DNA sequence: CAGCATAGTTGAAAGCTTTCAATCCGGGCT
DNA sequence: AGCCCGGATTGAAAGCTTTCAACTATGCTG
């Protein structure tokens, strides 16, 4: 509403002085300073971020591009980023891409015209983002990639140690005696997916366990994907005794499929997730899962951005956060043979539907 | 990068003409128009939203203020809003308040200086927002309140029919034969909380069931709140046979408490939630819950905003979206007496911890 | 064919801030 | 007392767009 000119008049000083008081860009003697501050307070003045940004070639916004807020892993990252950004006086502009590269480009191009101080992106795919990122950098904005990496990325990154997490989980599964494993990966064009798969395979290779390619299925990182691929896996012969899900949402879908097929987890079939969402604890049975620090990924990314904004122009940073396996009740001993679930009291979950189309 | 001046030079026209072509603010003859478009394309020019906003007194941003992205109900609302906004060319600036009124004010004040076209708020409390909203309106931005309402609010609103949802759920519970109910409400300064409580009480009153005030507990809308208050309720004599949770997060916390006390749901105690989060289906047991359309709340709010931006200045709209009870397995018949859970096979969940400090 | 209306095009101002060069003032030094 | 210096303050330009009034050219009318 009020603008600087009015404040200047109100305080009986020049425009420049008001600006200097507000930004501390020059020392202003106390009496004047006070008059300005009083005028600002009495008018409830707040500087126009638009004009300020235009003049400074930079705003206090930070663009954040994520696949989908609706997937519970991402809000944690967003929240982490927002908390650090807010504390430093920066605000977040949020964009969802649905893992659609085209949408990602649209968002990036438009965001740039707001001259944000930085950009945090969880890439939608391994498509090369170098060009867009370069144009951000040229306009003075730092860019950091989180969770997944695009092709040829040469900037800052914050990721979880996906391969190690998957490797540990797989080893745990193997120690329980499972021989017939299966994995439902996330989309193969995402580096977090492929790294998890890599860890899985490495553990298998070390134990000299061979797996037919049909036991490795690819799905979207959501419940429906997990559900569909699980149904598919359950029809295979021999049936896998455990499924390693590329993330918890996939695992949740798998649980649904188990239930529908009248299978009890972990007695009839085991399951391991990835992400360790808050809700993994709540499922039936509580889901064992690889925990990765979503919130911390957000804070770390934002922190790097803050450093860059403040002038750090060192070489690219690559922070890899640790993962840990969280053991709950969803992995049991393997059952051999088929249809074994009939040999024990009907699984509680079976109540829901027992239309077992088994073969 | 490139600015309009360069485009003008490149196309051999004036600044004004470029602007007219870009905005369709005046008819420009085809050959010129084409030259301009070509120049724009070849330079990869995109207008500065900052300068544009400054000049137009309005940007294509929409502020969205929510309590916490990390609570799975809100992302649905955010996503709904973003989808509609994006489609109309608007972008979302996201702010979390943690239900802290002070933070809310800070966000609103700053957001205004970006001259957003609108503001979608899920208020942090019933604190009066009229003043802030008024100043938004004066600067030409529409404001709509979602999910909860602040005091004296006279603007657009989108809410769910909380009272009806709670009323229906309570009636369902009563029909199952429960007489000894308890409710864990959300914070009493949130209208959605109080309306849910109202529905609960109305159903009780109609059936002439009286409840001591200690059976109505207040908690934050999160897992921890639900957990703590459930432990408290479980120690009461007579012990409630069912708990109606103010939202699903509280219900999840209750499940945790049940587990810890070695109680099996629904055999030993029943539970009803509110929100019907995706994950309500996944818990042990699957949670009965009042479903409210979060995504649709977001789209509706954004749609109203779009209408306002386009000039609709009719009287305040008050959209109340319907709720529906979703019955799953968490409500059973009431058990009378105490310690009844010892009479059946130990609940599966009891495995986790059986440190029952019962009395 | 002159004159006028109209459609198309242009240049400049305005929107609000930051910043730089210029000005002002007072004090210290000789 | 005069000069100079440095610190405090000011005024104006610049950043990029939109928009309005003014201007040009075009087409039509009489």
């Amino acid at each position: 509403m009020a603008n600087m000119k009015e404040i200047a008049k109100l305080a009986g000083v020049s425009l420049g002085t008001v600006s200097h008081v507000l930004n501390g860009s020059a020392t202003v003697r106390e009496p004047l300073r006070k008059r300005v501050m009083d005028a600002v307070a009495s008018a409830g003045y707040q500087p126009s971020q638009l004009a300020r940004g235009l003049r400074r070639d930079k705003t206090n916004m930070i663009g954040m591009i994520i696949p989908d807020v609706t997937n519970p892993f991402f809000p944690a990252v967003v929240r982490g980023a927002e908390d650090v950004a807010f504390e430093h006086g920066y605000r977040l502009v949020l964009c969802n891409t649905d893992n659609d590269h085209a949408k990602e480009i649209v968002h990036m191009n438009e965001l740039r015209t707001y001259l944000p101080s930085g950009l945090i992106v969880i890439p939608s795919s391994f498509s090369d983002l170098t060009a867009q990122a370069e144009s951000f950098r040229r306009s003075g904005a730092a860019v950091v990639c989180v969770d997944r990496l695009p092709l040829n990325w040469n900037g800052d990154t914050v990721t979880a140690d996906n391969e190690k997490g998957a490797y540990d989980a797989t080893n745990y599964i193997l120690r329980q005696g499972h021989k017939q494993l299966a994995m439902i990966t996330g989309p193969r064009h995402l580096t977090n997916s492929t790294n998890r798969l890599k860890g899985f395979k490495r553990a298998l290779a070390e134990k000299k366990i061979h797996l037919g390619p049909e036991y490795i299925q690819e799905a979207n990182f959501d419940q429906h994907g997990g559900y569909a691929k699980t149904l598919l896996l359950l029809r295979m012969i021999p049936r896998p005794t455990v499924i390693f899900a590329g993330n918890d949402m996939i695992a949740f879908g798998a649980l649904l499929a188990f239930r529908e097929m009248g299978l009890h987890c972990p007695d009839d079939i085991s399951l391991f997730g990835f992400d360790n969402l808050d809700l993994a604890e709540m499922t039936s049975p509580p889901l064992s899962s690889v925990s990765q620090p979503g919130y911390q990924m957000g804070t770390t990314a934002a922190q790097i951005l803050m450093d860059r904004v403040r002038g750090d122009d060192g070489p690219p940073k690559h922070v890899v956060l640790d993962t840990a396996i969280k053991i709950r009740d969803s992995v049991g001993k393997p059952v051999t043979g088929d249809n074994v679930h009939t040999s024990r009291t009907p699984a509680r979950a079976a109540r829901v539907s027992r239309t077992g189309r088994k073969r």
Side-chain angles (χ1 to χ4, degrees), chain A:
Chain A
M1 348 245 71
N3 59 16
M4 258 181 53
K5 204 150 124 196
E6 297 179 35
I7 301 298
K9 195 184 301 176
L10 212 58
V13 300
S14 80
L15 223 59
T17 305
V18 177
S19 177
H20 286 136
V21 170
L22 256 37
N23 300 300
S25 42
T27 53
V28 173
R29 247 174 313 184
E30 187 50 28
L32 274 204
R33 213 190 71 81
K34 177 146 174 24
R35 256 157 57 204
V36 170
M37 293 307 274
D38 286 352
V40 165
S42 84
Y45 168 76
Q46 291 202 277
S48 157
Q49 296 287 345
L50 248 33
R52 174 176 280 186
L54 182 59
R55 186 58 238 245
R56 284 189 182 162
D57 263 356
K58 180 165 306 223
T59 66
N60 68 344
M61 288 186 262
I62 290 184
M64 178 144 196
I65 297 186
I66 66 173
D68 180 13
V69 245
T70 271
N71 175 332
F73 175 68
F74 299 122
V77 186
V78 171
R79 193 57 210 272
E82 213 234 30
D83 283 355
V84 170
F86 180 73
E87 191 184 322
H88 287 78
Y90 290 82
R91 308 294 171 253
L92 234 49
V93 182
L94 189 73
C95 304
N96 292 288
T97 63
D98 287 315
N99 284 325
D100 174 349
H101 184 58
K103 223 172 153 190
E104 181 171 62
I105 299 291
V106 170
H107 279 308
M108 287 183 80
N109 282 339
E110 178 171 346
L111 272 176
R112 192 160 35 86
T113 69
Y114 276 111
L115 303 181
S117 288
L119 185 66
I120 298 178
V121 47
I122 301 183
S124 68
S125 69
F126 56 33
S127 306
D128 199 328
L129 287 183
T130 317
Q132 339 292 328
E134 200 42 57
S135 87
F136 265 89
R137 294 218 192 84
R138 255 199 312 274
S139 74
V143 184
V144 19
C145 268
V146 178
D147 190 30
R148 321 155 170 180
L149 305 181
L151 225 53
N152 301 323
W153 185 248
N154 61 352
D156 297 322
T157 65
V158 180
T159 52
D161 198 340
N162 288 297
E163 188 185 336
K164 178 214 165 212
Y167 176 79
D168 289 349
T170 310
N171 270 334
Y172 169 80
I173 290 170
L174 293 173
R175 277 201 304 279
Q176 302 306 304
H178 291 271
K179 296 266 186 304
Q180 190 61 49
L181 320 219
M183 174 157 189
I184 303 178
T185 73
R188 296 286 181 96
H189 59 264
L190 301 179
T191 52
N192 53 356
S193 281
T194 54
N195 286 335
R196 288 170 202 179
L197 179 57
K198 222 180 276 176
F200 177 72
K201 283 184 166 168
R202 180 156 63 90
L204 252 46
E206 285 180 8
K207 295 290 183 303
K208 307 248 189 301
I209 294 186
H210 177 73
L211 219 59
E214 67 277 18
Y215 287 98
I216 297 180
Q217 292 289 331
E218 177 177 356
N220 279 333
F221 269 143
D222 58 31
Q223 219 163 309
H224 179 262
Y227 172 80
K229 297 301 183 177
T230 300
L231 287 185
L232 205 149
L233 285 171
L234 291 179
R235 287 199 211 96
M236 292 186 177
I237 299 177
R239 195 173 74 193
T241 60
V242 59
I243 293 179
F244 183 25
N247 78 348
D248 281 354
M249 295 307 282
I250 291 180
F252 294 157
L255 283 177
L256 244 34
F258 292 169
R259 219 183 259 180
E260 180 164 322
M261 297 297 282
L263 294 175
H264 185 269
C265 174
D267 299 329
D268 303 321
I269 187 162
S270 294
L271 181 66
F272 212 104
F274 203 114
D275 280 353
N276 190 29
L277 300 179
D278 283 351
L279 295 125
E281 185 178 16
M282 309 301 315
T283 55
S284 161
L287 182 69
S288 293
S289 186
V290 180
S291 116
Q292 64 166 332
Y295 183 84
Q296 203 189 332
M297 281 173 62
T299 57
T300 310
Q303 193 57 61
I304 292 182
L305 222 49
M306 298 294 100
D307 293 347
R308 293 299 188 192
V309 169
R310 274 161 182 52
D312 171 1
D313 55 356
K317 297 184 162 80
H318 301 287
V319 178
V320 178
L321 298 174
D322 200 13
T323 57
I325 58 175
K326 175 77 192 175
I327 301 304
R328 298 201 180 83
D329 306 341
S330 64
V331 175
K333 301 289 171 192
V335 260
T336 53
D338 217 359
N339 282 340
V340 202
H341 60 284
T342 56
S343 68
R344 65 188 80 241
T345 61
R348 173 178 313 281
R351 224 188 263 157
V352 171
S353 147
R354 221 167 160 29
T355 61
R357 238 172 307 165
K358 351 170 181 154
R359 50 187 61 181

